[in-house]
Amino acid sequence: MNKAAILALTSTGIQLAKELRGKWDQEIPIFVSEDNLDEEVLPFPTGKFSTGIQVLFKQYDALICIMATGIVVRSIAGVLEDKRNDPAIVVIDEKGRHTISLLSGHIGGGNQLTLEIAAKLNSCPVITTATDVQNVTALDLLSKELNGWYADFKETTKRVNRLLAEHQAVGLIQRGNWVRDLRGLSLLKEGDSFNSYEAVLLISDKREELESEKIIQIVPRRYVLGIGAKKGIDFSIIKEEYLAFCQSINIHFRSIKKIVSIDIKQQEAGICQLAEWLEIPFETYSAAELLTVSEKYPQSAFVKKVTGVGSVCLAAADLASNGKVVTERYANKGVTFALGKDENDTCYTLWD
């Protein structure tokens, strides 16, 4: 389970919270009102539940609330943002009879957490997402398992999940063994007709020419991008060269899950903007860390003079992928790129 907390309001709820916590291997904090404090629990931030839960909402991946559903709904209404970012909220009545997945059931893992808690407490799980009720997969859940990206997230998710819940024809094409949960999906091969399908999901990290408006490409984010750049280089140049790099190796520009470089570039505006544009993290390594692998790659005397390391993008990609670098160094207009991918990623390679 990701970072979670349990919230309770009454002595009965606190007793159940302690019982539930005892059934997990990991230590989970329990937050209560100040008049119910003891050595096993913590006070709500701000001292009040209504505002304290809003603080915890931004600090935890999941909140387990042992109380009435209504008070939870009223208290979190002002901090709700987006299903991609909101934590899972699970509500349990004080007797532990019902465990309710209230928020972020798919992406946030609320539905799975609800089932886990229900099994531990022998309670009745309450899951109301339409795809789960209809026993079909869901686009946002499928994408989460792939760490995937697709365009127009909200509208596309709503449309495809509605089709699945209504048992409409939804096809699936995948360039590798990506998806295991095929409930509600029809597996298609190259050349099959799309005429009888309302939508077709295409799982691929390649640059695809979509033949039909019915096709929705889901891009697994599986690569790390090592980057080097001259000081002060403009984001427009970095973006232009990044897209050219992706085109040269035939990958979708959204297939990157993390950008990595040397720590002296940590505040480099153009690189930070690239990470923001791609909506992925940007992490850095020290020169000493990069030196442990940089000699494996071609060296630049100029780069070594400036940074202390003769290879930045390749060495950073190497460290971030545990040595699984899958491209040569790309260099143009003062920016360099290289790709690495997870050592546990056994799906097809770039050139399959």
Side-chain angles (χ1 to χ4, degrees):
M1 181 172 61
N2 292 330
K3 187 179 179 183
I6 305 175
L7 289 67
L9 292 176
T10 67
S11 57
T12 303
I14 295 168
Q15 182 179 349
L16 181 60
K18 292 178 180 178
E19 177 187 340
L20 176 60
R21 178 170 65 180
K23 295 178 182 292
W24 262 300
D25 294 332
Q26 66 189 83
E27 188 66 19
I28 301 173
I30 297 173
F31 292 91
V32 304
S33 57
E34 292 182 349
D35 55 354
N36 284 311
L37 285 177
D38 61 39
E39 67 278 1
E40 298 181 61
V41 298
L42 299 169
F44 291 125
T46 75
K48 296 181 179 180
F49 169 76
S50 58
T51 51
I53 190 174
Q54 296 181 3
V55 174
L56 298 173
F57 189 92
K58 299 180 181 299
Q59 295 178 346
Y60 286 86
D61 301 315
L63 298 180
I64 303 163
C65 303
I66 303 177
M67 59 195 70
T69 303
I71 190 173
V72 178
V73 172
R74 288 192 296 271
S75 299
I76 66 173
V79 291
L80 296 176
E81 293 180 2
D82 187 282
K83 65 162 61 182
R84 289 171 289 184
N85 303 316
D86 292 339
I89 303 290
V90 176
V91 179
I92 310 171
D93 66 89
E94 291 189 346
K95 293 291 187 180
R97 293 170 179 164
H98 296 88
T99 302
I100 305 167
S101 179
L102 183 66
L103 186 69
S104 293
H106 287 157
I107 295 179
N111 291 353
Q112 182 59 40
L113 181 58
T114 293
L115 294 173
E116 292 177 13
I117 293 172
K120 293 179 186 297
L121 297 179
N122 194 28
S123 67
C124 177
V126 180
I127 296 174
T128 59
T129 42
T131 50
D132 292 273
V133 171
Q134 295 297 329
N135 194 31
V136 293
T137 191
L139 177 58
D140 47 345
L141 184 58
L142 180 154
S143 180
K144 177 188 175 182
E145 293 173 353
L146 300 175
N147 188 22
W149 173 92
Y150 50 91
D152 300 320
F153 176 84
K154 288 185 178 180
E155 290 304 315
T156 303
T157 300
K158 185 186 302 182
R159 180 168 69 89
V160 173
N161 284 357
R162 178 183 59 79
L163 292 172
L164 288 164
E166 293 176 354
H167 300 285
Q168 300 291 318
V170 179
L172 173 69
I173 300 172
Q174 48 183 345
R175 313 287 197 213
N177 297 320
W178 296 106
V179 179
R180 296 178 182 177
D181 185 0
L182 299 178
R183 292 174 303 153
L185 299 171
S186 298
L187 195 58
L188 301 176
K189 302 186 298 294
E190 293 290 342
D192 286 350
S193 172
F194 302 155
N195 292 340
S196 61
Y197 292 90
E198 298 298 323
V200 175
L201 309 181
L202 170 61
I203 316 296
S204 172
D205 65 351
K206 309 274 189 181
R207 298 172 64 253
E208 300 280 355
E209 294 294 334
L210 305 184
E211 305 170 5
S212 167
E213 293 182 356
K214 294 181 178 181
I215 300 177
I216 300 163
Q217 183 173 357
I218 304 173
V219 183
R221 286 177 285 205
R222 59 196 298 235
Y223 300 110
V224 294
L225 177 70
I227 184 171
K230 288 184 178 179
K231 184 177 181 180
I233 190 167
D234 192 76
F235 166 61
S236 62
I237 296 175
I238 295 178
K239 179 181 176 182
E240 177 185 2
E241 292 306 314
Y242 170 67
L243 293 175
F245 170 62
C246 291
Q247 182 174 359
S248 72
I249 57 175
N250 189 31
I251 64 165
H252 195 286
F253 74 98
R254 288 283 187 173
S255 63
I256 310 301
K257 65 178 181 179
K258 180 169 65 176
I259 296 174
V260 288
S261 190
I262 192 168
D263 56 7
I264 63 173
K265 296 297 180 182
Q266 191 170 23
Q267 303 300 322
E268 188 69 44
I271 301 178
C272 292
Q273 286 179 269
L274 180 68
E276 183 178 349
W277 176 60
L278 292 173
E279 300 176 295
I280 56 176
F282 172 38
E283 299 176 3
T284 59
Y285 299 101
S286 67
E289 289 174 307
L290 294 176
L291 280 171
T292 62
V293 298
S294 66
E295 295 297 329
K296 293 162 57 175
Y297 304 103
Q299 302 289 295
S300 165
F302 174 77
V303 172
K304 190 164 188 176
K305 181 179 178 181
V306 174
T307 67
V309 184
S311 173
V312 170
C313 69
L314 283 162
D318 185 294
L319 286 180
S321 65
N322 198 21
K324 201 163 185 179
V325 176
V326 294
T327 69
E328 297 180 346
R329 174 177 173 269
Y330 172 97
N332 197 37
K333 295 185 180 179
V335 62
T336 61
F337 300 110
L339 281 192
K341 72 173 183 176
D342 285 342
E343 59 180 333
N344 295 323
D345 185 342
T346 58
C347 205
Y348 63 86
T349 64
L350 283 169
W351 300 278
D352 284 348

